[in-house]
Amino acid sequence: DICMADEGRSFIYLPSLNYAAGNLDAVGQMLAHPHTVPGLSDGGAHARYDLPAGGKRLLQSAEGYLHTFVAGTEVYAGGRHTGELVGRLVRGPQAAPAA
């Protein structure tokens, strides 16, 4: 019910649950598990509803990167968007890439 509030655009964010015992031992155990794949979090991310069917795009700024390239095209320079939009929309199941 909570996730369906606001037309399904809500998040449940409970970072304090990782610190329930007063330490981060549970987080250490999860990170040390052989099936864990660390990735970038959405901490500090902002949402923009501009994807098809009102989908949510999470945005997060980063500092310290001078240039960001996507498919050989510079999309960020000095922390500012260049205006280039080189991505493409992927819909539905996709065929596996040729080996």
Side-chain angles (χ1 to χ4, degrees), residues 54-75:
K56 184 182 299 185
R57 180 191 312 261
L58 294 176
L59 305 171
Q60 183 171 352
S61 63
E63 295 180 12
Y65 291 96
L66 298 179
H67 306 277
T68 302
F69 289 84
V70 175
T73 301
E74 188 173 30
V75 294

Side-chain angles (χ1 to χ4, degrees), residues 23-39:
N23 58 53
L24 295 172
D25 291 349
V27 175
Q29 289 175 1
M30 288 186 282
L31 288 173
H33 193 278
H35 294 208
T36 296
V37 178

Side-chain angles (χ1 to χ4, degrees), residues 1-98:
D1 290 340
I2 293 172
C3 284
M4 292 309 298
D6 191 28
E7 298 181 8
R9 296 179 175 177
S10 299
F11 278 112
I12 296 177
Y13 183 62
L14 300 170
S16 61
L17 291 182
N18 288 329
Y19 200 72
N23 58 53
L24 295 172
D25 291 349
V27 175
Q29 289 175 1
M30 288 186 282
L31 288 173
H33 193 278
H35 294 208
T36 296
V37 178
L40 299 174
S41 73
D42 67 347
H46 301 278
R48 183 171 71 196
Y49 298 94
D50 64 344
L51 296 176
K56 184 182 299 185
R57 180 191 312 261
L58 294 176
L59 305 171
Q60 183 171 352
S61 63
E63 295 180 12
Y65 291 96
L66 298 179
H67 306 277
T68 302
F69 289 84
V70 175
T73 301
E74 188 173 30
V75 294
Y76 278 86
R80 298 188 188 279
H81 193 266
T82 63
E84 295 290 334
L85 300 172
V86 297
R88 63 185 178 93
L89 179 62
V90 178
R91 294 182 187 258
Q94 303 296 306

